[in-house]
Amino acid sequence: MASGFSFATADVQNSGIGSSPTLLCTPLMGTTVDQMLIEMRKAKEIGADVVEIRLDCLREFSPRKDLEILIKQSPLPTLVTYRPIWEGGQYEGDENKRQDALRVAVELGADYIDVELQVAHEFNNSISAKKPEKLKVIVSSHNFHNTPSVEAIGNLVARIQATGADIVKIATTALDITDVARVFQITVHSQIPIIAIVMGERGLISRLLSPKFNGYLTYGALEAGVISAPGQPTAKDLLDLYNFRLIRPDTKVYGIIGKPVGHSKSPLLFNESFKKVGLNAVYVHLLVDDVKKFFSTYSSVDFAGFSCTIPHKEVALECMNEIDPIAKKIGAINNICRRPDGTLKAYNTDYIGAIAAIEDGLRESNGSAPSVGSPLAGKLFVVLGAGGAGKSLAYGAQQKGARVVVANRTFERAKELAEKVGGKALTLEEVNHFHPEEGMVLANTTSVGMKPNIDATPISKEALKHYDLVFDAIYTPKDTRLLREARECGKIIVYGTEMLIRQGFEQYKNFTGLPAPEELFRELMSRHA
C-alpha cells in the first residue's frame, strides 16, 4: 500500500471507532493559574470538550495548591501535561519533581494525564496501585523531524501500547502532505484509542479529518498564534469553518490544492453551503508541493473533488483521466471531480466566472440588455499575466469576440499565449505606454498587489485612463491599489471576489450535481472578504 492511500470507504467505516465522536481539546497556554482559569471558561464557551493544562507554561508552580484549583475549578474534563524540554516542552527542571506533579494530578482527579514514551513504563508502574477508575493515561511520542514509514509508525504504536497506555498519542512532522496518509493508515485500523497529529501546515488535514480517520481527540487553539504545536488550527475554526462536529467516517472530502493555500476563502463558502443543504461533506485547505504525488496517494473515492489554484493549474492536467474540452484549450484547470470509478475529470471554471462578471460590469455601465450578444465583442482586451488565470481570461475573451492582448513579465510566455488566441503580445513594462484606442478592458491575473505587497500595482494610474473597465483577479485584499486607482479615474471596476464567487458556483455544481446556493455564497463573501 506504499504507493497509494486508496483503502475503501468500508475500511474507514469498519475501523475500531465505536460510537464515540472525536473529542476537541483546547490547550491552556496561560503563564499564571488565573490566566488558565479564564482560558478554561473561554474554551467551554467556544465548545471544546476537554482542556489541556500545560503545567510547563506556568511561570510559577506549586503543584498541590495550583492543581487543586485548576482541576477542581475546571468547567471541562482536564488533561494534564507537564512537557519537558527534551520532548518539545518548556520544563527544564528535575525529572522526579515533574513526575511527582503528574502523580498529584492523578490523585486530585485529572481525567487524563499525558506522559512521554521515554518515561511511561516507570510512571505507569508508579501509579498502577492507586490509579482511579476514570483516569486515562495518554502515552505520547513526538517527532519534530519527519513522518516515518507505515511500518515504523506501527512499531512505535506497539511500543507505546506495551507501556500500559490507555490512549496512544503520536505526533510527527509533515514534510509533504502525503506524509499524513501514512498516519491515517495506522489510525483507521487502530483497535486502541489513538491520537495522531502530523505537525506543520502540510499536516493540517491530520487534525481536521481526525473524526473521519478514527482519532480519539484533536487539539484546537483558543486563539490564532497561541498554539502548543506547529500547524494547530483554532478550536473556533475547527468547529465553525470546518464543521468538525459533522465529520464522520463516511464524510466525503473536498479541498483546495495550492501553494500557498491558507489565505483561500473557499472552505468558508463550501462548508457553509454543505451544512445548509445537509451534504455529508467537508472542504479543507490542502498545501500541496507535488501534485502527482498527491493524486497518487489520495486516490480513494472518499477524496471526492478538488479546487486547484496557483501554482498547480497547469501541472495538474497531466494527472487527469479526462479534461473538459475548453479546459484543454486553455491548458489550465481549477476544478477536479473524482468519479465513482475513481477516475479524475477536470474543468476550468475560472474563465466562466471572470468573463461573466466582466460582461455584467460592461452591461450595467452602458445599459444594454443581457440578451444582446456579448459586450466584449470587438473590444480590445488586455490580459496581464500568462499563467493559469491569464490563459482562462484570454481564451474566454477570445470566445466572446474580443481582440486579445497578452502582457507578461517574460515575453516568450506572453507570445505563446497570444498566438493561441490570435492576439498580440507585450511585456508588462510596455503596457504603461500601450493605448492604440480608448475604451479597452484590462484584466490583471498577476500577483502584483496581493497581500502582503498591497502597495504594488502592475500598471500606472496614468495608463488606466484609456480603459473602460478594470478587473483584478486578486481578492486578498479585495480592494487592490489597481482597483482603487481605476475607481479614482472613473472606471468600472470588477473585484476578484466576483470571479471567485462565480467560478465557485460552477465548481459547486460540478462537485454535487446541485445548483449553487448563490445568495449564500454572496452573503458569506460580503461578510468575510
Side-chain angles (χ1 to χ4, degrees):
M1 282 179 74
S3 65
F5 175 66
S6 50
F7 58 66
T9 306
D11 285 348
V12 182
Q13 288 164 321
N14 297 335
S15 64
I17 195 160
S19 61
S20 59
T22 301
L23 299 173
L24 173 54
C25 175
T26 295
L28 308 180
M29 308 286 289
T31 56
T32 66
V33 170
D34 286 344
Q35 265 180 319
M36 282 192 175
L37 291 173
I38 293 166
E39 290 173 348
M40 283 174 177
R41 291 193 280 276
K42 274 194 199 154
K44 176 146 173 92
E45 275 164 34
I46 287 171
D49 303 303
V50 180
V51 286
E52 180 183 30
I53 300 171
R54 282 292 299 257
L55 298 178
D56 51 306
C57 292
L58 292 171
R59 280 203 296 263
E60 291 172 11
F61 176 48
S62 322
R64 193 162 289 278
K65 176 168 143 279
D66 294 345
L67 281 165
E68 178 87 42
I69 295 168
L70 289 165
I71 292 169
K72 297 285 194 282
Q73 291 189 26
S74 174
L76 291 169
T78 52
L79 188 175
V80 177
T81 302
Y82 202 178
R83 191 75 74 221
I85 206 142
W86 47 261
E87 189 83 9
Q90 298 180 39
Y91 179 77
E92 293 187 75
D94 177 75
E95 179 58 23
N96 291 327
K97 281 188 178 158
R98 188 180 77 88
Q99 289 191 38
D100 283 343
L102 292 174
R103 282 187 277 271
V104 171
V106 170
E107 185 193 323
L108 291 173
D111 298 273
Y112 303 90
I113 300 285
D114 179 327
V115 63
E116 301 72 25
L117 173 58
Q118 206 171 312
V119 296
H121 267 293
E122 67 175 287
F123 180 81
N124 282 337
N125 289 342
S126 76
I127 64 161
S128 60
K130 45 185 183 293
K131 185 181 168 191
E133 185 70 28
K134 73 160 188 174
L135 173 74
K136 289 189 165 56
V137 176
I138 299 169
V139 175
S140 59
S141 166
H142 298 75
N143 176 335
F144 295 97
H145 306 293
N146 59 16
T147 298
S149 67
V150 172
E151 190 183 4
I153 300 169
N155 292 339
L156 175 64
V157 169
R159 274 177 57 212
I160 293 174
Q161 252 184 290
T163 66
D166 298 303
I167 299 165
V168 168
K169 178 185 170 189
I170 50 168
T172 66
T173 297
L175 304 179
D176 188 276
I177 193 168
T178 55
D179 294 346
V180 183
R182 300 198 289 282
V183 170
F184 283 156
Q185 243 171 290
I186 295 292
T187 60
V188 80
H189 293 298
S190 178
Q191 296 305 310
I192 176 174
I194 188 163
I195 300 166
I197 304 294
V198 187
M199 297 179 285
E201 196 188 343
R202 287 167 177 79
L204 178 64
I205 57 171
S206 70
R207 301 168 182 278
L208 307 183
L209 301 180
S210 51
K212 179 173 177 64
F213 293 106
N214 195 22
Y216 180 83
L217 170 154
T218 199
Y219 299 86
L222 258 187
E223 50 194 280
V226 188
I227 56 176
S228 61
Q232 195 174 84
T234 63
K236 194 171 175 358
D237 276 353
L238 278 168
L239 295 169
D240 299 343
L241 173 59
Y242 299 110
N243 297 334
F244 184 76
R245 299 285 187 217
L246 302 178
I247 301 171
R248 309 195 297 259
D250 59 348
T251 296
K252 290 261 181 266
V253 180
Y254 297 89
I256 178 156
I257 296 171
K259 183 187 179 182
V261 78
H263 64 283
S264 170
K265 301 270 196 289
S266 298
L268 176 84
L269 300 182
F270 284 100
N271 287 326
E272 272 293 308
S273 306
F274 291 162
K275 184 158 97 179
K276 193 121 191 172
V277 300
L279 275 178
N280 181 15
V282 63
Y283 186 105
V284 296
H285 289 98
L286 300 162
L287 177 60
V288 171
D289 297 282
D290 181 333
V291 187
K292 286 183 177 166
K293 195 169 161 189
F294 174 82
F295 285 121
S296 68
T297 303
Y298 295 99
S299 55
S300 144
V301 290
D302 271 22
F303 287 83
F306 310 95
S307 309
C308 189
T309 186
I310 296 165
H312 301 315
K313 292 182 180 197
E314 291 144 296
V315 188
L317 277 167
E318 299 162 34
C319 309
M320 299 300 116
N321 301 97
E322 190 188 334
I323 299 160
D324 179 72
I326 296 173
K328 204 172 213 158
K329 277 188 183 168
I330 293 170
I333 57 178
N334 72 320
N335 181 219
I336 298 160
C337 298
R338 195 181 300 281
R339 296 180 288 202
D341 65 355
T343 56
L344 296 168
K345 178 167 185 185
Y347 305 86
N348 187 311
T349 67
D350 276 339
Y351 85 97
I352 300 173
I355 296 295
I358 291 167
E359 285 180 323
D360 284 354
L362 288 169
R363 282 196 191 101
E364 277 168 34
S365 75
N366 61 24
S368 65
S371 56
V372 186
S374 170
L376 281 172
K379 281 268 192 197
L380 198 56
F381 192 100
V382 180
V383 181
L384 308 182
K391 285 178 178 173
S392 302
L393 275 137
Y395 185 80
Q398 181 226 10
Q399 256 214 326
K400 298 290 186 176
R403 294 166 295 135
V404 179
V405 175
V406 181
N408 194 55
R409 205 161 32 109
T410 51
F411 180 74
E412 279 313 306
R413 283 197 78 178
K415 188 163 169 264
E416 196 185 317
L417 176 55
E419 281 170 1
K420 281 185 186 162
V421 293
K424 180 179 168 63
L426 303 171
T427 65
L428 278 178
E429 287 69 42
E430 290 172 306
V431 176
N432 283 326
H433 311 290
F434 177 77
H435 44 87
E437 61 189 65
E438 300 304 310
M440 302 185 289
V441 172
L442 180 73
N444 175 43
T445 71
T446 73
S447 58
V448 179
M450 189 175 182
K451 270 184 187 171
N453 306 311
I454 56 171
D455 294 326
T457 183
I459 182 172
S460 71
K461 187 173 180 178
E462 179 63 20
L464 292 175
K465 64 183 185 207
H466 305 290
Y467 293 86
D468 270 357
L469 178 146
V470 176
F471 163 77
D472 197 339
I474 292 169
Y475 62 89
T476 54
K478 178 181 176 179
D479 209 22
T480 57
R481 179 177 163 190
L482 172 66
L483 292 180
R484 279 201 310 279
E485 292 183 346
R487 193 168 51 234
E488 286 160 13
C489 295
K491 306 303 173 186
I492 308 158
I493 62 167
V494 176
Y495 291 111
T497 47
E498 266 307 300
M499 168 170 159
L500 180 76
I501 287 171
R502 292 172 187 238
Q503 63 81 26
F505 295 164
E506 294 296 313
Q507 293 211 37
Y508 187 93
K509 205 163 70 188
N510 291 341
F511 284 154
T512 65
L514 303 166
E518 296 190 8
E519 281 309 301
L520 179 65
F521 265 43
R522 288 196 177 283
E523 190 243 318
L524 287 165
M525 279 310 286
S526 65
R527 206 167 357 128
H528 297 279

